[in-house]
Amino acid sequence: MSTVIENLLLRKQKLVEQLEKAQSVEDRDKIEHQLEQINTALDFLDRPGPRGGE
């Protein structure tokens, strides 16, 4: 599971770098959408599982 999280974090870092360089509004929107998807995936993976003890 940690490999998935590491890959998502790496992808997120690259997208943030691209966002800083993005020229057009369309590019920024696409990158921001991808960042939202990654954040959602990270939130989902970070949740405690059924044996989380909550």
Side-chain angles (χ1 to χ4, degrees):
M1 182 70 79
S2 64
T3 303
V4 172
I5 294 172
E6 290 170 4
N7 287 340
L8 287 170
L9 290 173
L10 183 61
R11 178 72 178 136
K12 182 177 178 178
Q13 181 181 359
K14 289 180 181 179
L15 286 170
V16 169
E17 292 170 3
Q18 289 177 9
L19 186 60
E20 293 172 356
K21 299 175 186 175
Q23 298 292 323
S24 71
V25 173
E26 292 84 10
D27 288 343
R28 292 183 66 82
D29 286 345
K30 288 178 186 177
I31 294 168
E32 287 173 355
H33 179 70
Q34 291 177 40
L35 286 169
E36 288 174 15
Q37 290 179 323
I38 290 173
N39 286 333
T40 299
L42 288 169
D43 288 344
F44 178 77
L45 292 171
D46 194 39
R47 289 184 192 162
R51 291 176 272 151
E54 278 192 52

